[in-house]
Amino acid sequence: MPDTDAPESTTWDAIVVGAGHNGLTAAAYLARAGRRVLVLEARDRLGGACTIEHPFADPGFVVSPCAYLVGLLHHRVIDELDLRRHGYRVHLVDPHLWCPFDDGTALSLWDDSQRNHQVVAAMSPDDADGYSRYEQLFGRIRQALRSEPHDTWIGDAPDRPALEELLGHDPELVEVMFEESIASVIERHVGDERLRTALHGQGLIGTWAGPRDAGTAAIHAMHSMGTIEGRPGAWGYVQGGMGQVSFALARAAEEAGAVIRSNARVAKIVPGEEVILEDGTRIPTRTVISNADPRTTLGLLSDAAPAAFVEKVNGWRMEGPVLKINCALSRLPTFTAAGPGDAPHRAMVTIARSLDETQAAYERSRVGEPAPRWAELYFHSAYDPSVAPEGSHVMSVFAEYAPYTLASGSWDERRDAVADEAFDEIARFAPDVLDCVVARQVLAPPDIEMAVGLAGGHIFQGECLPDQMWDRRFSPRTPMPGLYMCGASTHPGGSVIAINGRNCAMAVLADTAEASAAL
């Protein structure tokens, strides 16, 4: 085992900058291929945005500060790296959505299409078939783009003509993937305003766009493309918190021989030669893999990068619009719209207003005013009691819209007031919610930037709208020989997917094999 106290004394085949889940994935695959791999993490904990924290006075509350659920983690990574043996375990969330309405009714949607047809028929009989077609639409996209042997998330990103061919040149599917708004798709399929209210937020996740903005249908398509525990489109809570995904990846990497060093902040990358730490330590390597976002990666380069790369980074949209609030609860809040058969705390709870009100909130955020009118609530402890002290619970709030730059005041001055606005929205349907909160952690986009190192505070290292997806995303191979990228800015995009890291490792292995053969 190399001496981790003196990494500069070892000749490393590859150095990974950043121990986020994609960087750890790349390290694991390279180490399994016999490469000498060093992972350097600036912070004292692993996982980047996919980690766990204990931010409250009672350490029994376990918080996943940024990444809350798993749904897109690639089955190849789970199986090939044997993550289950390394501690990965998931609880599927079902019902997957519960949304209360102002008239006192509520909607539960499940991972069972036939059941959903019955649920919608009971609420709005004329919309039952339309809703089923809506579900099937996104299922058809998943089937076309994520089925073997044409899993488009593996390897190089396909361009639009290749994707259109895989979609069978179906004009509806092509429109959804490249142009249509989530509002347009929903309004085409269902007429009941309650259904439209419940569904439109799924096209906004982590996206600084409104439901009537072009391309937002593709956001829902992306988040519907996963398969977890054999269930297409499902999402789940990871036992012990989302950071357990990263910790399982770290264990797999270390078992294969990779070395992971925390509290080792990289100050410079010299592609093809070395990395230089903040303390001046120089560590030679011919291959550097950056798990950092594009802007941070560019800032680490010691020499001028090619103009085209600089231009792409400077034009990359990566201002986060999300306010994250993590809460310690003395008990679960009471949702007044919950009926006898409802289980809101076991669902992802959608707090929403109408489509047009959400669009107005987005437009307000564009002029620098926070408008947290839409939110999704997660009660991890309803499935996994290990994340809270006995009898207590945790709640995570994912709210939009919270612009990185405010028109007036600073986030330090306004953070709590904006969080209170988000709680006002929740209290419309759970009036006792504030009585349940023992403590809360509020993360605005600048807080996410500072805490995790994601420039702009964007949890996906950049917007996942169509013009920044597929072959428009960053490639693992950069124009600088010896420098690769593996983070969420690369194909296939943001969320906890891990195939980004695998794609990068495969590119490194292919390139170094070609280089060896040429010698």
Side-chain angles (χ1 to χ4, degrees), residues 21 43 46-52 66-67 242-247 452 496:
H21 78 279
R43 298 193 298 166
L46 307 181
C50 182
T51 190
I52 59 173
C66 291
M242 277 296 290
Q244 297 299 334
V245 174
S246 298
F247 303 159
V452 183
V496 179

Side-chain angles (χ1 to χ4, degrees), residues 89-112:
R89 180 183 163 204
V90 65
H91 304 272
L92 294 180
V93 177
D94 201 22
H96 67 249
L97 179 149
W98 186 83
C99 183
F101 305 110
D102 289 320
D103 66 358
T105 61
L107 174 70
S108 293
L109 293 175
W110 305 77
D111 288 341
D112 180 334

Side-chain angles (χ1 to χ4, degrees), residues 205-225:
I205 304 293
T207 307
W208 203 12
R212 297 199 180 281
D213 287 7
T216 48
I219 299 296
H220 181 41
M222 176 189 172
H223 286 90
S224 301
M225 282 196 199

Side-chain angles (χ1 to χ4, degrees), residues 20 137 155 199 228 344 362 377 426 431 445 492 501 503:
L137 168 65
L199 296 175
I228 291 292
Y362 159 69
L377 315 182
I426 300 168
N503 287 342

Side-chain angles (χ1 to χ4, degrees), residues 296-434:
T296 300
T297 299
L298 181 62
L300 291 175
L301 295 177
S302 59
D303 298 319
F309 183 78
V310 174
E311 182 179 2
K312 181 168 183 174
V313 172
N314 289 338
W316 194 246
R317 300 192 313 282
M318 50 187 297
E319 279 196 40
V322 177
L323 182 74
K324 289 178 172 282
I325 312 172
N326 302 305
C327 302
L329 303 181
S330 60
R331 59 179 172 83
L332 292 170
T334 301
F335 289 93
T336 54
D342 285 349
H345 307 104
R346 292 183 64 82
M348 292 178 273
V349 177
T350 293
I351 302 295
R353 294 179 180 265
S354 70
L355 270 166
D356 288 335
E357 286 175 294
T358 302
Q359 184 70 28
Y362 159 69
E363 290 167 2
R364 179 182 170 191
S365 75
R366 274 293 179 186
V367 296
E369 281 301 318
R373 297 294 177 265
W374 182 90
E376 202 161 58
L377 315 182
Y378 313 102
F379 298 91
H380 189 149
S381 51
Y383 283 87
D384 171 17
S386 74
V387 298
E390 186 174 356
S392 299
H393 287 273
V394 291
M395 177 179 74
S396 298
V397 181
F398 182 108
E400 297 190 12
Y401 298 91
Y404 180 93
T405 303
L406 301 178
S408 62
S410 68
W411 271 110
D412 283 343
E413 295 167 334
R414 301 184 62 183
R415 184 183 293 107
D416 283 329
V418 176
D420 289 342
E421 284 188 52
F423 271 95
D424 287 343
E425 295 297 308
I426 300 168
R428 290 166 53 217
F429 306 106
D432 65 344
V433 64
L434 287 176

